């Protein structure tokens, strides 16, 4: 009984002071975190998109719609809705539908929410765990088990308990903070994965709309050529009737006409497939798609093209930022693996009341409490913890290499697009000249054929030349629009200038934050 009285004595003040000192010391110890601190890789020095002088600041022009000269502007910023530079209300409306309805974008948004919630859940490990317990017990005991002569052979008793339990694992070596850091990096990765999905979706819609316009123009040009060939066939048949041409000329003209007509079904099939692709981009089924018809003449070709500074490209590209976040996550995991090799300090305690009846639960004699401190140091796990840390280091090295590959690919992508744009302008100018020359040549040969100064083989050859030139000109026009869109995509798409809240991204490019 004396022992019980001693246990009920209050804790001496000196013991409380010592406990406070211990907690404070542990808090100071928790200020450090094992493992390497992440530092974002610096932008590559002296990196560029092409050797000096190889990409002209101004592209040549062709005298037709879509053939306007384009200028490369170093350091020009990119608008958040870059596709509006094509000045197509129909295209803007379709992209707006896609952004609202695309399942791909919705999946990326859900993945971001999941990553944010997972990181928030892990941050709960910073705080003590508190739980309450209420318990009611009924026991049957044998008197013989107490060794008391004359005690009843058995009896029943009740025990009512209410308690609060607190447990806290001190983050002495920063393992918990490194785990939170890794999950926050994962959330950052999902943020930029969402931005990449947004950019890919908008660029794909623009490319598909341009391709649809190109196919429509190719079909229209082919139909014009077929009508012209039909007229030539009619002329040839009249010449045969008048004795001025042979039946072989008619058969040759019919053959060339049918060959032209045979190219139309594949083009129309490609057009239908392209519209199905647009339906998929905006989250519609093919049968439900109601998008208008695109044509090249309704689109404006942007004449000023941005060329971001190489040092800013790594900040603007969502894919580069994705791999930077993965590198951050892998770096934090090294700290987690290191902390797992070190002692784990856990404090736990409980305070409550226990009594045989609920009516007596709050009486002074019913108080119960416990204070427990434990330190666990792994001693032998067969090398498991050591190899886990080595695996984490190797994963970080892999992430660093993947980041470097992504940066190199980003520069390659931009460089290829710049070269393509310069080539597209030269190609369009040459194709425009070729188409005019082929049209003039065909008109001249047909006039000569009517007067008997040219053979029918020359007519057929001129027709084939003009047909190829007309279709090639349409493709060259469309390629300029497609590669212009590809440049905006390669440079990051201007997500840092977008006003709508697609995702909770506060980490704009550091160059923009400085402003």
């Amino acid at each position: 009984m004396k022992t019980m009285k001693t246990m009920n004595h209050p804790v001496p003040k000196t013991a409380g002071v010592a406990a406070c000192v211990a907690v404070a010391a542990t808090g100071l110890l928790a200020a450090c975190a094992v493992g390497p601190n992440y530092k974002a890789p610096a932008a590559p020095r002296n990196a560029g998109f092409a050797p000096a002088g190889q990409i002209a600041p101004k592209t040549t022009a062709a005298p037709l719609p879509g053939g306007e000269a384009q200028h490369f502007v170093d350091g020009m910023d990119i608008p958040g809705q870059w596709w509006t530079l094509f000045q197509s209300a129909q295209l803007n409306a379709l992209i707006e539908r896609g952004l609202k309805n695309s399942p791909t974008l919705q999946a990326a948004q859900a993945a971001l929410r999941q990553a944010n919630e997972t990181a928030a859940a892990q941050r709960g490990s910073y705080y003590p765990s508190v739980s309450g317990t209420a318990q009611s017990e009924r026991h049957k005991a044998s008197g013989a088990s107490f060794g008391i002569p004359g005690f009843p052979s058995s009896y029943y008793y009740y025990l009512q308990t209410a308690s609060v339990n607190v447990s806290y694992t001190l983050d002495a070596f920063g393992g918990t903070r490194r785990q939170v850091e890794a999950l926050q990096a994962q959330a950052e990765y999902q943020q930029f994965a969402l931005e990449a999905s947004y950019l890919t979706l908008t660029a794909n819609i623009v490319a598909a709309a341009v391709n649809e316009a190109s196919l429509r123009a190719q079909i229209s040009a082919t139909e014009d050529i077929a009508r012209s060939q039909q007229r030539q066939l009619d002329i040839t048949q009249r010449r045969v009737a008048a004795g001025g041409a042979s039946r072989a000329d008619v058969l040759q003209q019919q053959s060339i006409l049918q060959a032209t007509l045979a190219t139309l079904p594949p083009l129309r099939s490609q057009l239908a497939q392209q519209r199905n692709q647009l339906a998929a981009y905006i989250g519609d089924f093919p049968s439900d798609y109601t998008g208008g018809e695109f044509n090249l003449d309704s689109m404006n070709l942007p004449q000023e093209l941005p060329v971001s500074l190489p040092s800013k490209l790594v900040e603007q590209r969502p894919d580069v930022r994705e791999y930077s976040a993965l590198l951050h996550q892998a770096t934090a995991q090294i700290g987690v693996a290191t902390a797992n090799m070190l002692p784990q300090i856990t404090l736990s305690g409980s305070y409550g009341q226990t009594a045989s009846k609920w009516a007596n639960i709050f009486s002074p004699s019913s108080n119960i409490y416990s204070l427990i401190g434990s330190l666990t140091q792994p001693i032998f796990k067969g090398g498991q913890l050591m190899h886990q840390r080595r695996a984490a280091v190797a994963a970080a090295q892999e992430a660093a290499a993947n980041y470097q590959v992504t940066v190199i690919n980003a520069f390659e992508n931009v460089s290829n697009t710049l070269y393509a744009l310069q080539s597209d302008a030269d190609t369009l100018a040459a194709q425009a000249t070729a188409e005019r020359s082929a049209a003039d040549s065909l008109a001249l040969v047909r006039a000569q054929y009517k007067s008997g100064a040219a053979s029918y083989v020359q007519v057929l050859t001129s027709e084939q030349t003009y047909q190829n030139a007309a279709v090639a000109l349409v493709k060259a026009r469309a390629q300029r629009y497609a590669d212009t869109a590809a440049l905006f995509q390669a440079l990051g798409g201007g997500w840092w200038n977008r006003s709508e809240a697609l995702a909770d991204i506060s980490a704009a490019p550091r160059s923009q934050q400085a402003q």
Side-chain angles (χ1 to χ4, degrees), residues 119 176-188 325 328-333 336:
T176 300
R177 275 169 291 148
R178 290 301 190 195
Q179 185 64 46
V180 171
E181 182 183 354
L183 291 173
Q184 288 174 334
Q186 175 65 24
E188 184 181 2
H328 188 177
Q329 181 186 29
T331 303
Q333 288 293 352
V336 174

mmCIF file with all atom_site columns, all heavy atoms in Angstrom, residues 119 176-188 325 328-333 336:
data_model
loop_
_atom_site.group_PDB
_atom_site.id
_atom_site.type_symbol
_atom_site.label_atom_id
_atom_site.label_alt_id
_atom_site.label_comp_id
_atom_site.label_asym_id
_atom_site.label_entity_id
_atom_site.label_seq_id
_atom_site.pdbx_PDB_ins_code
_atom_site.Cartn_x
_atom_site.Cartn_y
_atom_site.Cartn_z
_atom_site.occupancy
_atom_site.B_iso_or_equiv
_atom_site.pdbx_formal_charge
_atom_site.auth_seq_id
_atom_site.auth_comp_id
_atom_site.auth_asym_id
_atom_site.auth_atom_id
_atom_site.pdbx_PDB_model_num
ATOM 1   N N   . ALA A 1 119 ? 0.664  14.160 -50.020 1.00 0.00 ? 119 ALA A N   1
ATOM 2   C CA  . ALA A 1 119 ? 1.687  14.966 -49.339 1.00 0.00 ? 119 ALA A CA  1
ATOM 3   C C   . ALA A 1 119 ? 1.117  15.596 -48.067 1.00 0.00 ? 119 ALA A C   1
ATOM 4   O O   . ALA A 1 119 ? 1.792  15.639 -47.020 1.00 0.00 ? 119 ALA A O   1
ATOM 5   C CB  . ALA A 1 119 ? 2.214  16.045 -50.282 1.00 0.00 ? 119 ALA A CB  1
ATOM 6   N N   . THR A 1 176 ? 11.231 11.880 -41.525 1.00 0.00 ? 176 THR A N   1
ATOM 7   C CA  . THR A 1 176 ? 9.859  12.252 -41.851 1.00 0.00 ? 176 THR A CA  1
ATOM 8   C C   . THR A 1 176 ? 9.832  13.455 -42.784 1.00 0.00 ? 176 THR A C   1
ATOM 9   O O   . THR A 1 176 ? 9.067  13.507 -43.748 1.00 0.00 ? 176 THR A O   1
ATOM 10  C CB  . THR A 1 176 ? 9.068  12.559 -40.570 1.00 0.00 ? 176 THR A CB  1
ATOM 11  O OG1 . THR A 1 176 ? 9.054  11.399 -39.740 1.00 0.00 ? 176 THR A OG1 1
ATOM 12  C CG2 . THR A 1 176 ? 7.646  12.970 -40.885 1.00 0.00 ? 176 THR A CG2 1
ATOM 13  N N   . ARG A 1 177 ? 10.694 14.438 -42.485 1.00 0.00 ? 177 ARG A N   1
ATOM 14  C CA  . ARG A 1 177 ? 10.725 15.622 -43.349 1.00 0.00 ? 177 ARG A CA  1
ATOM 15  C C   . ARG A 1 177 ? 11.191 15.271 -44.755 1.00 0.00 ? 177 ARG A C   1
ATOM 16  O O   . ARG A 1 177 ? 10.697 15.819 -45.741 1.00 0.00 ? 177 ARG A O   1
ATOM 17  C CB  . ARG A 1 177 ? 11.632 16.680 -42.730 1.00 0.00 ? 177 ARG A CB  1
ATOM 18  C CG  . ARG A 1 177 ? 10.909 17.551 -41.701 1.00 0.00 ? 177 ARG A CG  1
ATOM 19  C CD  . ARG A 1 177 ? 11.872 18.412 -40.917 1.00 0.00 ? 177 ARG A CD  1
ATOM 20  N NE  . ARG A 1 177 ? 12.708 17.595 -40.040 1.00 0.00 ? 177 ARG A NE  1
ATOM 21  C CZ  . ARG A 1 177 ? 13.962 17.919 -39.721 1.00 0.00 ? 177 ARG A CZ  1
ATOM 22  N NH1 . ARG A 1 177 ? 14.518 18.993 -40.230 1.00 0.00 ? 177 ARG A NH1 1
ATOM 23  N NH2 . ARG A 1 177 ? 14.646 17.149 -38.900 1.00 0.00 ? 177 ARG A NH2 1
ATOM 24  N N   . ARG A 1 178 ? 12.129 14.355 -44.863 1.00 0.00 ? 178 ARG A N   1
ATOM 25  C CA  . ARG A 1 178 ? 12.571 13.938 -46.198 1.00 0.00 ? 178 ARG A CA  1
ATOM 26  C C   . ARG A 1 178 ? 11.445 13.209 -46.937 1.00 0.00 ? 178 ARG A C   1
ATOM 27  O O   . ARG A 1 178 ? 11.292 13.359 -48.147 1.00 0.00 ? 178 ARG A O   1
ATOM 28  C CB  . ARG A 1 178 ? 13.790 13.029 -46.090 1.00 0.00 ? 178 ARG A CB  1
ATOM 29  C CG  . ARG A 1 178 ? 15.061 13.729 -45.640 1.00 0.00 ? 178 ARG A CG  1
ATOM 30  C CD  . ARG A 1 178 ? 15.470 14.838 -46.566 1.00 0.00 ? 178 ARG A CD  1
ATOM 31  N NE  . ARG A 1 178 ? 16.817 15.331 -46.250 1.00 0.00 ? 178 ARG A NE  1
ATOM 32  C CZ  . ARG A 1 178 ? 17.314 16.467 -46.700 1.00 0.00 ? 178 ARG A CZ  1
ATOM 33  N NH1 . ARG A 1 178 ? 16.573 17.263 -47.452 1.00 0.00 ? 178 ARG A NH1 1
ATOM 34  N NH2 . ARG A 1 178 ? 18.551 16.833 -46.386 1.00 0.00 ? 178 ARG A NH2 1
ATOM 35  N N   . GLN A 1 179 ? 10.653 12.429 -46.194 1.00 0.00 ? 179 GLN A N   1
ATOM 36  C CA  . GLN A 1 179 ? 9.530  11.736 -46.828 1.00 0.00 ? 179 GLN A CA  1
ATOM 37  C C   . GLN A 1 179 ? 8.499  12.737 -47.324 1.00 0.00 ? 179 GLN A C   1
ATOM 38  O O   . GLN A 1 179 ? 7.961  12.604 -48.432 1.00 0.00 ? 179 GLN A O   1
ATOM 39  C CB  . GLN A 1 179 ? 8.891  10.758 -45.840 1.00 0.00 ? 179 GLN A CB  1
ATOM 40  C CG  . GLN A 1 179 ? 7.794  9.891  -46.442 1.00 0.00 ? 179 GLN A CG  1
ATOM 41  C CD  . GLN A 1 179 ? 8.315  8.973  -47.519 1.00 0.00 ? 179 GLN A CD  1
ATOM 42  O OE1 . GLN A 1 179 ? 9.335  8.323  -47.361 1.00 0.00 ? 179 GLN A OE1 1
ATOM 43  N NE2 . GLN A 1 179 ? 7.619  8.921  -48.648 1.00 0.00 ? 179 GLN A NE2 1
ATOM 44  N N   . VAL A 1 180 ? 8.211  13.752 -46.510 1.00 0.00 ? 180 VAL A N   1
ATOM 45  C CA  . VAL A 1 180 ? 7.297  14.809 -46.935 1.00 0.00 ? 180 VAL A CA  1
ATOM 46  C C   . VAL A 1 180 ? 7.866  15.546 -48.148 1.00 0.00 ? 180 VAL A C   1
ATOM 47  O O   . VAL A 1 180 ? 7.155  15.853 -49.114 1.00 0.00 ? 180 VAL A O   1
ATOM 48  C CB  . VAL A 1 180 ? 7.021  15.790 -45.781 1.00 0.00 ? 180 VAL A CB  1
ATOM 49  C CG1 . VAL A 1 180 ? 6.253  17.011 -46.281 1.00 0.00 ? 180 VAL A CG1 1
ATOM 50  C CG2 . VAL A 1 180 ? 6.249  15.094 -44.672 1.00 0.00 ? 180 VAL A CG2 1
ATOM 51  N N   . GLU A 1 181 ? 9.153  15.820 -48.095 1.00 0.00 ? 181 GLU A N   1
ATOM 52  C CA  . GLU A 1 181 ? 9.811  16.492 -49.217 1.00 0.00 ? 181 GLU A CA  1
ATOM 53  C C   . GLU A 1 181 ? 9.676  15.675 -50.498 1.00 0.00 ? 181 GLU A C   1
ATOM 54  O O   . GLU A 1 181 ? 9.402  16.222 -51.579 1.00 0.00 ? 181 GLU A O   1
ATOM 55  C CB  . GLU A 1 181 ? 11.284 16.716 -48.881 1.00 0.00 ? 181 GLU A CB  1
ATOM 56  C CG  . GLU A 1 181 ? 12.079 17.444 -49.955 1.00 0.00 ? 181 GLU A CG  1
ATOM 57  C CD  . GLU A 1 181 ? 13.548 17.571 -49.603 1.00 0.00 ? 181 GLU A CD  1
ATOM 58  O OE1 . GLU A 1 181 ? 13.923 17.200 -48.462 1.00 0.00 ? 181 GLU A OE1 1
ATOM 59  O OE2 . GLU A 1 181 ? 14.332 18.018 -50.464 1.00 0.00 ? 181 GLU A OE2 1
ATOM 60  N N   . ALA A 1 182 ? 9.850  14.358 -50.387 1.00 0.00 ? 182 ALA A N   1
ATOM 61  C CA  . ALA A 1 182 ? 9.722  13.499 -51.566 1.00 0.00 ? 182 ALA A CA  1
ATOM 62  C C   . ALA A 1 182 ? 8.306  13.528 -52.121 1.00 0.00 ? 182 ALA A C   1
ATOM 63  O O   . ALA A 1 182 ? 8.095  13.584 -53.338 1.00 0.00 ? 182 ALA A O   1
ATOM 64  C CB  . ALA A 1 182 ? 10.126 12.068 -51.206 1.00 0.00 ? 182 ALA A CB  1
ATOM 65  N N   . LEU A 1 183 ? 7.315  13.504 -51.236 1.00 0.00 ? 183 LEU A N   1
ATOM 66  C CA  . LEU A 1 183 ? 5.921  13.530 -51.689 1.00 0.00 ? 183 LEU A CA  1
ATOM 67  C C   . LEU A 1 183 ? 5.548  14.888 -52.278 1.00 0.00 ? 183 LEU A C   1
ATOM 68  O O   . LEU A 1 183 ? 4.763  14.972 -53.220 1.00 0.00 ? 183 LEU A O   1
ATOM 69  C CB  . LEU A 1 183 ? 4.995  13.168 -50.531 1.00 0.00 ? 183 LEU A CB  1
ATOM 70  C CG  . LEU A 1 183 ? 5.085  11.708 -50.071 1.00 0.00 ? 183 LEU A CG  1
ATOM 71  C CD1 . LEU A 1 183 ? 4.255  11.488 -48.817 1.00 0.00 ? 183 LEU A CD1 1
ATOM 72  C CD2 . LEU A 1 183 ? 4.621  10.770 -51.189 1.00 0.00 ? 183 LEU A CD2 1
ATOM 73  N N   . GLN A 1 184 ? 6.100  15.963 -51.719 1.00 0.00 ? 184 GLN A N   1
ATOM 74  C CA  . GLN A 1 184 ? 5.861  17.285 -52.299 1.00 0.00 ? 184 GLN A CA  1
ATOM 75  C C   . GLN A 1 184 ? 6.487  17.384 -53.692 1.00 0.00 ? 184 GLN A C   1
ATOM 76  O O   . GLN A 1 184 ? 5.922  17.997 -54.595 1.00 0.00 ? 184 GLN A O   1
ATOM 77  C CB  . GLN A 1 184 ? 6.423  18.366 -51.376 1.00 0.00 ? 184 GLN A CB  1
ATOM 78  C CG  . GLN A 1 184 ? 5.621  18.554 -50.104 1.00 0.00 ? 184 GLN A CG  1
ATOM 79  C CD  . GLN A 1 184 ? 6.267  19.520 -49.140 1.00 0.00 ? 184 GLN A CD  1
ATOM 80  O OE1 . GLN A 1 184 ? 7.486  19.710 -49.149 1.00 0.00 ? 184 GLN A OE1 1
ATOM 81  N NE2 . GLN A 1 184 ? 5.476  20.137 -48.288 1.00 0.00 ? 184 GLN A NE2 1
ATOM 82  N N   . ALA A 1 185 ? 7.654  16.769 -53.870 1.00 0.00 ? 185 ALA A N   1
ATOM 83  C CA  . ALA A 1 185 ? 8.271  16.736 -55.192 1.00 0.00 ? 185 ALA A CA  1
ATOM 84  C C   . ALA A 1 185 ? 7.420  15.918 -56.161 1.00 0.00 ? 185 ALA A C   1
ATOM 85  O O   . ALA A 1 185 ? 7.298  16.265 -57.340 1.00 0.00 ? 185 ALA A O   1
ATOM 86  C CB  . ALA A 1 185 ? 9.683  16.157 -55.098 1.00 0.00 ? 185 ALA A CB  1
ATOM 87  N N   . GLN A 1 186 ? 6.827  14.841 -55.666 1.00 0.00 ? 186 GLN A N   1
ATOM 88  C CA  . GLN A 1 186 ? 5.928  14.048 -56.507 1.00 0.00 ? 186 GLN A CA  1
ATOM 89  C C   . GLN A 1 186 ? 4.717  14.879 -56.923 1.00 0.00 ? 186 GLN A C   1
ATOM 90  O O   . GLN A 1 186 ? 4.256  14.801 -58.071 1.00 0.00 ? 186 GLN A O   1
ATOM 91  C CB  . GLN A 1 186 ? 5.476  12.797 -55.756 1.00 0.00 ? 186 GLN A CB  1
ATOM 92  C CG  . GLN A 1 186 ? 4.441  11.947 -56.473 1.00 0.00 ? 186 GLN A CG  1
ATOM 93  C CD  . GLN A 1 186 ? 4.964  11.328 -57.752 1.00 0.00 ? 186 GLN A CD  1
ATOM 94  O OE1 . GLN A 1 186 ? 6.161  11.144 -57.903 1.00 0.00 ? 186 GLN A OE1 1
ATOM 95  N NE2 . GLN A 1 186 ? 4.068  11.005 -58.672 1.00 0.00 ? 186 GLN A NE2 1
ATOM 96  N N   . ALA A 1 187 ? 4.207  15.686 -55.999 1.00 0.00 ? 187 ALA A N   1
ATOM 97  C CA  . ALA A 1 187 ? 3.084  16.565 -56.339 1.00 0.00 ? 187 ALA A CA  1
ATOM 98  C C   . ALA A 1 187 ? 3.511  17.602 -57.376 1.00 0.00 ? 187 ALA A C   1
ATOM 99  O O   . ALA A 1 187 ? 2.745  17.936 -58.289 1.00 0.00 ? 187 ALA A O   1
ATOM 100 C CB  . ALA A 1 187 ? 2.563  17.262 -55.076 1.00 0.00 ? 187 ALA A CB  1
ATOM 101 N N   . GLU A 1 188 ? 4.731  18.110 -57.238 1.00 0.00 ? 188 GLU A N   1
ATOM 102 C CA  . GLU A 1 188 ? 5.237  19.057 -58.237 1.00 0.00 ? 188 GLU A CA  1
ATOM 103 C C   . GLU A 1 188 ? 5.361  18.381 -59.605 1.00 0.00 ? 188 GLU A C   1
ATOM 104 O O   . GLU A 1 188 ? 5.043  18.977 -60.637 1.00 0.00 ? 188 GLU A O   1
ATOM 105 C CB  . GLU A 1 188 ? 6.591  19.607 -57.802 1.00 0.00 ? 188 GLU A CB  1
ATOM 106 C CG  . GLU A 1 188 ? 7.145  20.669 -58.751 1.00 0.00 ? 188 GLU A CG  1
ATOM 107 C CD  . GLU A 1 188 ? 8.503  21.187 -58.311 1.00 0.00 ? 188 GLU A CD  1
ATOM 108 O OE1 . GLU A 1 188 ? 9.031  20.699 -57.290 1.00 0.00 ? 188 GLU A OE1 1
ATOM 109 O OE2 . GLU A 1 188 ? 9.036  22.078 -58.995 1.00 0.00 ? 188 GLU A OE2 1
ATOM 110 N N   . ALA A 1 325 ? 11.562 17.638 -60.952 1.00 0.00 ? 325 ALA A N   1
ATOM 111 C CA  . ALA A 1 325 ? 10.828 17.219 -59.755 1.00 0.00 ? 325 ALA A CA  1
ATOM 112 C C   . ALA A 1 325 ? 11.140 15.765 -59.406 1.00 0.00 ? 325 ALA A C   1
ATOM 113 O O   . ALA A 1 325 ? 11.260 15.408 -58.224 1.00 0.00 ? 325 ALA A O   1
ATOM 114 C CB  . ALA A 1 325 ? 9.328  17.400 -59.969 1.00 0.00 ? 325 ALA A CB  1
ATOM 115 N N   . HIS A 1 328 ? 14.375 15.734 -57.682 1.00 0.00 ? 328 HIS A N   1
ATOM 116 C CA  . HIS A 1 328 ? 14.182 16.203 -56.303 1.00 0.00 ? 328 HIS A CA  1
ATOM 117 C C   . HIS A 1 328 ? 13.637 15.069 -55.428 1.00 0.00 ? 328 HIS A C   1
ATOM 118 O O   . HIS A 1 328 ? 14.112 14.838 -54.307 1.00 0.00 ? 328 HIS A O   1
ATOM 119 C CB  . HIS A 1 328 ? 13.215 17.386 -56.310 1.00 0.00 ? 328 HIS A CB  1
ATOM 120 C CG  . HIS A 1 328 ? 13.079 18.070 -54.988 1.00 0.00 ? 328 HIS A CG  1
ATOM 121 N ND1 . HIS A 1 328 ? 12.303 19.191 -54.811 1.00 0.00 ? 328 HIS A ND1 1
ATOM 122 C CD2 . HIS A 1 328 ? 13.612 17.780 -53.773 1.00 0.00 ? 328 HIS A CD2 1
ATOM 123 C CE1 . HIS A 1 328 ? 12.368 19.561 -53.546 1.00 0.00 ? 328 HIS A CE1 1
ATOM 124 N NE2 . HIS A 1 328 ? 13.149 18.720 -52.889 1.00 0.00 ? 328 HIS A NE2 1
ATOM 125 N N   . GLN A 1 329 ? 12.642 14.358 -55.942 1.00 0.00 ? 329 GLN A N   1
ATOM 126 C CA  . GLN A 1 329 ? 12.064 13.248 -55.183 1.00 0.00 ? 329 GLN A CA  1
ATOM 127 C C   . GLN A 1 329 ? 13.107 12.175 -54.889 1.00 0.00 ? 329 GLN A C   1
ATOM 128 O O   . GLN A 1 329 ? 13.210 11.682 -53.760 1.00 0.00 ? 329 GLN A O   1
ATOM 129 C CB  . GLN A 1 329 ? 10.904 12.644 -55.973 1.00 0.00 ? 329 GLN A CB  1
ATOM 130 C CG  . GLN A 1 329 ? 10.211 11.498 -55.260 1.00 0.00 ? 329 GLN A CG  1
ATOM 131 C CD  . GLN A 1 329 ? 9.166  10.839 -56.130 1.00 0.00 ? 329 GLN A CD  1
ATOM 132 O OE1 . GLN A 1 329 ? 9.263  10.829 -57.349 1.00 0.00 ? 329 GLN A OE1 1
ATOM 133 N NE2 . GLN A 1 329 ? 8.135  10.276 -55.507 1.00 0.00 ? 329 GLN A NE2 1
ATOM 134 N N   . ALA A 1 330 ? 13.893 11.811 -55.898 1.00 0.00 ? 330 ALA A N   1
ATOM 135 C CA  . ALA A 1 330 ? 14.913 10.775 -55.703 1.00 0.00 ? 330 ALA A CA  1
ATOM 136 C C   . ALA A 1 330 ? 15.976 11.227 -54.709 1.00 0.00 ? 330 ALA A C   1
ATOM 137 O O   . ALA A 1 330 ? 16.477 10.425 -53.907 1.00 0.00 ? 330 ALA A O   1
ATOM 138 C CB  . ALA A 1 330 ? 15.551 10.422 -57.044 1.00 0.00 ? 330 ALA A CB  1
ATOM 139 N N   . THR A 1 331 ? 16.325 12.510 -54.724 1.00 0.00 ? 331 THR A N   1
ATOM 140 C CA  . THR A 1 331 ? 17.306 13.036 -53.771 1.00 0.00 ? 331 THR A CA  1
ATOM 141 C C   . THR A 1 331 ? 16.779 12.950 -52.338 1.00 0.00 ? 331 THR A C   1
ATOM 142 O O   . THR A 1 331 ? 17.500 12.569 -51.411 1.00 0.00 ? 331 THR A O   1
ATOM 143 C CB  . THR A 1 331 ? 17.648 14.486 -54.121 1.00 0.00 ? 331 THR A CB  1
ATOM 144 O OG1 . THR A 1 331 ? 18.126 14.561 -55.469 1.00 0.00 ? 331 THR A OG1 1
ATOM 145 C CG2 . THR A 1 331 ? 18.714 15.036 -53.194 1.00 0.00 ? 331 THR A CG2 1
ATOM 146 N N   . ALA A 1 332 ? 15.494 13.294 -52.156 1.00 0.00 ? 332 ALA A N   1
ATOM 147 C CA  . ALA A 1 332 ? 14.908 13.224 -50.812 1.00 0.00 ? 332 ALA A CA  1
ATOM 148 C C   . ALA A 1 332 ? 14.843 11.788 -50.307 1.00 0.00 ? 332 ALA A C   1
ATOM 149 O O   . ALA A 1 332 ? 14.991 11.528 -49.107 1.00 0.00 ? 332 ALA A O   1
ATOM 150 C CB  . ALA A 1 332 ? 13.511 13.842 -50.825 1.00 0.00 ? 332 ALA A CB  1
ATOM 151 N N   . GLN A 1 333 ? 14.644 10.831 -51.208 1.00 0.00 ? 333 GLN A N   1
ATOM 152 C CA  . GLN A 1 333 ? 14.559 9.439  -50.794 1.00 0.00 ? 333 GLN A CA  1
ATOM 153 C C   . GLN A 1 333 ? 15.893 8.925  -50.231 1.00 0.00 ? 333 GLN A C   1
ATOM 154 O O   . GLN A 1 333 ? 15.913 7.984  -49.439 1.00 0.00 ? 333 GLN A O   1
ATOM 155 C CB  . GLN A 1 333 ? 14.118 8.567  -51.967 1.00 0.00 ? 333 GLN A CB  1
ATOM 156 C CG  . GLN A 1 333 ? 12.654 8.747  -52.362 1.00 0.00 ? 333 GLN A CG  1
ATOM 157 C CD  . GLN A 1 333 ? 11.691 8.265  -51.299 1.00 0.00 ? 333 GLN A CD  1
ATOM 158 O OE1 . GLN A 1 333 ? 12.085 7.644  -50.307 1.00 0.00 ? 333 GLN A OE1 1
ATOM 159 N NE2 . GLN A 1 333 ? 10.416 8.549  -51.489 1.00 0.00 ? 333 GLN A NE2 1
ATOM 160 N N   . VAL A 1 336 ? 15.596 9.679  -46.664 1.00 0.00 ? 336 VAL A N   1
ATOM 161 C CA  . VAL A 1 336 ? 14.694 8.733  -46.000 1.00 0.00 ? 336 VAL A CA  1
ATOM 162 C C   . VAL A 1 336 ? 15.426 7.425  -45.700 1.00 0.00 ? 336 VAL A C   1
ATOM 163 O O   . VAL A 1 336 ? 15.349 6.882  -44.589 1.00 0.00 ? 336 VAL A O   1
ATOM 164 C CB  . VAL A 1 336 ? 13.458 8.469  -46.881 1.00 0.00 ? 336 VAL A CB  1
ATOM 165 C CG1 . VAL A 1 336 ? 12.592 7.371  -46.267 1.00 0.00 ? 336 VAL A CG1 1
ATOM 166 C CG2 . VAL A 1 336 ? 12.633 9.743  -47.053 1.00 0.00 ? 336 VAL A CG2 1
#
